[in-house]
Amino acid sequence: MESLSSSFLKHTPSTPSLPPSQVFRFKIHSVKIDEIPSRTSFLNLAKLGPFYDQAEPRTNHAKKVQSLRSIIFGSLDDFICKFIDLPLRASIDPKHVLSGNFSPVDELPPTACEVVEGTLPSCLDGAYIRNGPNPQFIPRGPYHLFDGDGMLHSIRIRDGEATFCSRFIKTYKYTVEREIGSPVMLNVFSAFNGLAASMARCAVTFGRVLAREYDLRHGIGTANTSLALFDGKLFALGESDLPYRIKIKPNGDIITLGRHESFGAPFTTMTAHPKIDAETQEAFAFRQGITFTPPFLIYFNISKQGEKQPEVPIFSLSEPSLIHDFAVSKKYAIFPDTQIVLNPKNILKGMPAISVDPKKVPRLGIIPRDAVDESEIRWVEVPGFNMVHAVNAWDEDRSGEETIVLVAPNVLSVEHVLDRLDLIHACLEIIEINVKEKIVKRRTLSSSNLDFAVINPAYSGKKNSYRGTDAKDIRRGKDRHITFNSRFQQLHGG
């Protein structure tokens, strides 16, 4: 679950200049803001087109005086944190998680960036945006890095000038908690810390819902994972909710237009990693059923007009599995069934819903991209292959044998996937699947610790070439378009 996503948005009206008192010093080796700490480290790019409409945000952010019921529920939360919670592991201890480079940051209105070295080309017209978790309130109790409210950071570039802006995504969760003045909704990755604390938090949550502090039908997500474009509209996404539509104003400010409910019914969600075919303009997506019975996976697509098509429930996935990302070729959608399991029954045992099953044999599910049901799905065992993110997939005809080629990182240290992110090692692999015979061949493209690679979006679902860049090349400036992480590798179409 990556905590940073970015997009380059083209062509907006001119940006008004700001007074000299609101200026950042701006060095053009690469686009970089030294004064704003980078709280996240993962990247996912999406090519976006113009989408600037004149709609206004729907939410009201005026803070209210806490009601008596809110004070009572808040006191119960404090009691759970102080007297019932088990000792906090480092991975869910906010004193540890929200320290140093990951400390929370405030919103920043559009602020001019001074160019102190080099120049910005006058033809460069657009915005670079990233998405990541940033808690609105300092947590009372357990907190995981992935739990934070979504915040967008944008650099708007036009006419040789740059404007920086940071804004929270005004989700339903963010708005409710802002009005109440404290955290209200359960943190998905950290709330279930021991049986007694888990049951107590569930009881408080049940009480809040009965008291109508918030309405579950409006979602509980943070939209803190990625950005994507459907039908010329920009969305912020998180897999625990539906997408939220975002707008960049002419002056570089970022506003939230609202939850896009046409992508799902109440209580439904959508992946943070939809795949978009650059030729057909279709988007392919899925959601997970957080239930005790199948289906645990539901596949669907969105037409180029932005209309969601009928869902395809996958009942052959008989046990719940955490499916965070998938791949799509021109003919097929490929889903990973890894050793990372998502089982809500664990909550009844006082354990996190997400855990690792070392005895499970990972699989890949292959279903026709335009399937109307799951009758043609194939499951292929791929021992030791735990795919959390996908880079790309394409189809090949090899001597009459239909073959799917998948490029994806394999998380080798899967047991550390939530508790020790610093120990995770993911090597980049290429997997070749003979569709008819269900024969799988694998080879390693890089044994370095690599994840979140990005390709030219025009080649999504089509064959692309591979080229790596090491830290020395980046420091020497040989590949100045790769400036974010010495372990980051760029995949180029061609």
Side-chain angles (χ1 to χ4, degrees):
M1 282 140 271
E2 75 279 27
S3 51
L4 182 146
S5 179
S6 61
S7 303
F8 194 84
L9 312 181
K10 298 180 179 179
H11 187 62
T12 62
S14 59
T15 303
S17 59
L18 292 165
S21 60
Q22 296 185 15
V23 172
F24 279 143
R25 296 179 66 79
F26 196 64
K27 185 175 291 186
I28 310 302
H29 285 309
S30 59
V31 177
K32 177 181 178 183
I33 301 295
D34 291 328
E35 288 79 358
I36 300 299
S38 175
R39 301 181 55 259
T40 49
S41 59
F42 309 136
L43 188 66
N44 177 27
L45 295 174
K47 183 180 180 182
L48 303 180
F51 60 92
Y52 303 92
D53 60 286
Q54 300 302 315
E56 293 298 326
R58 297 185 302 187
T59 53
N60 176 16
H61 312 302
K63 186 175 178 180
K64 299 178 181 179
V65 177
Q66 280 196 325
S67 65
L68 177 61
R69 70 181 181 188
S70 296
I71 293 173
I72 293 172
F73 285 130
S75 299
L76 291 173
D77 280 335
D78 288 336
F79 183 85
I80 295 169
C81 295
K82 292 178 181 178
F83 301 108
I84 303 181
D85 261 323
L86 295 177
L88 300 183
R89 309 183 303 277
S91 61
I92 59 171
D93 185 348
K95 294 179 181 178
H96 174 76
V97 176
L98 296 176
S99 62
N101 200 43
F102 294 93
S103 299
V105 297
D106 294 328
E107 288 192 326
L108 183 76
T111 304
C113 304
E114 180 185 1
V115 177
V116 297
E117 182 176 337
T119 59
L120 284 168
S122 59
C123 61
L124 192 60
D125 182 11
Y128 177 87
I129 309 174
R130 75 176 199 181
N131 189 1
N134 182 46
Q136 177 182 188
F137 298 102
I138 299 300
R140 293 193 188 103
Y143 175 87
H144 191 276
L145 182 64
F146 298 156
D147 284 326
D149 296 286
M151 175 174 268
L152 298 178
H153 305 270
S154 171
I155 300 175
R156 173 75 176 95
I157 301 173
R158 183 181 173 88
D159 297 330
E161 298 179 351
T163 302
F164 184 81
C165 181
S166 297
R167 294 293 190 192
F168 280 107
I169 301 164
K170 306 309 190 291
T171 61
Y172 178 68
K173 174 184 181 296
Y174 172 90
T175 305
V176 167
E177 293 182 342
R178 183 175 177 84
E179 291 177 345
I180 291 175
S182 65
V184 170
M185 301 186 190
L186 286 177
N187 287 330
V188 175
F189 291 95
S190 60
F192 308 108
N193 180 37
L195 179 59
S198 297
M199 295 300 100
R201 284 199 173 91
C202 287
V204 171
T205 297
F206 187 64
R208 289 185 189 274
V209 173
L210 286 180
R212 298 185 179 180
E213 271 208 327
Y214 62 91
D215 188 340
L216 292 173
R217 291 174 297 180
H218 299 312
I220 59 171
T222 57
N224 68 6
T225 304
S226 65
L227 294 163
L229 183 76
F230 303 137
D231 188 30
K233 302 177 181 67
L234 179 64
F235 294 93
L237 303 98
E239 62 198 289
S240 59
D241 207 336
L242 294 174
Y244 277 80
R245 190 172 169 195
I246 304 299
K247 175 187 173 184
I248 309 298
K249 296 181 73 174
N251 67 346
D253 208 350
I254 307 166
I255 62 173
T256 305
L257 298 177
R259 188 170 181 256
H260 204 70
E261 297 180 349
S262 65
F263 287 168
F267 307 109
T268 61
T269 62
M270 177 174 152
T271 177
H273 296 293
K275 307 303 177 188
I276 300 171
D277 188 313
E279 295 177 346
T280 67
Q281 296 299 306
E282 295 172 284
F284 300 87
F286 66 92
R287 64 180 178 89
Q288 292 209 256
I290 313 301
T291 60
F292 296 100
T293 58
F296 303 115
L297 173 66
I298 300 94
Y299 170 60
F300 59 91
N301 69 77
I302 299 167
S303 70
K304 66 179 181 180
Q305 291 81 22
E307 298 173 353
K308 182 180 177 181
Q309 304 303 300
E311 294 183 339
V312 179
I314 310 296
F315 288 94
S316 56
L317 184 69
S318 56
E319 296 181 356
S321 177
L322 179 65
I323 302 177
H324 177 67
D325 195 2
F326 74 133
V328 172
S329 70
K330 288 294 183 180
K331 293 182 179 180
Y332 295 98
I334 303 99
F335 292 95
D337 178 18
T338 69
Q339 292 175 310
I340 308 170
V341 296
L342 177 63
N343 191 348
K345 294 179 182 178
N346 287 348
I347 298 173
L348 303 178
K349 305 174 185 178
M351 300 165 55
I354 300 171
S355 60
V356 174
D357 181 1
K359 297 180 180 179
K360 181 179 177 180
V361 178
R363 306 183 300 168
L364 290 174
I366 304 163
I367 188 170
R369 192 171 94 162
D370 58 355
V372 295
D373 57 45
E374 67 163 333
S375 59
E376 296 184 62
I377 194 170
R378 303 172 175 88
W379 290 99
V380 181
E381 289 190 350
V382 190
F385 182 66
N386 287 290
M387 179 185 107
V388 177
H389 293 99
V391 179
N392 197 22
W394 62 85
D395 309 300
E396 292 187 2
D397 187 342
R398 299 184 177 180
S399 303
E401 297 289 341
E402 189 175 26
T403 301
I404 298 172
V405 181
L406 170 68
V407 180
N410 178 21
V411 179
L412 302 178
S413 45
V414 68
E415 67 275 12
H416 301 307
V417 71
L418 285 180
D419 274 353
R420 290 298 305 272
L421 298 176
D422 55 313
L423 297 181
I424 289 179
H425 187 96
C427 68
L428 198 62
E429 293 194 17
I430 186 165
I431 298 92
E432 300 172 356
I433 308 166
N434 184 309
V435 177
K436 182 179 179 181
E437 302 296 333
K438 295 191 194 180
I439 297 174
V440 178
K441 296 180 181 179
R442 296 165 58 188
R443 60 186 173 90
T444 300
L445 289 177
S446 175
S447 58
S448 298
N449 191 11
L450 300 169
D451 201 352
F452 310 103
V454 176
I455 67 165
N456 180 340
Y459 287 84
S460 180
K462 300 192 296 185
K463 185 175 181 178
N464 63 271
S465 61
Y466 169 86
R467 178 165 64 89
T469 302
D470 62 25
K472 291 181 180 179
D473 285 342
I474 292 174
R475 286 195 294 270
R476 292 170 184 164
K478 292 184 177 180
D479 286 284
R480 296 199 175 188
H481 57 287
I482 305 175
T483 59
F484 305 99
N485 190 330
S486 62
R487 290 180 174 178
F488 178 78
Q489 291 211 350
Q490 182 82 6
L491 295 173
H492 297 272

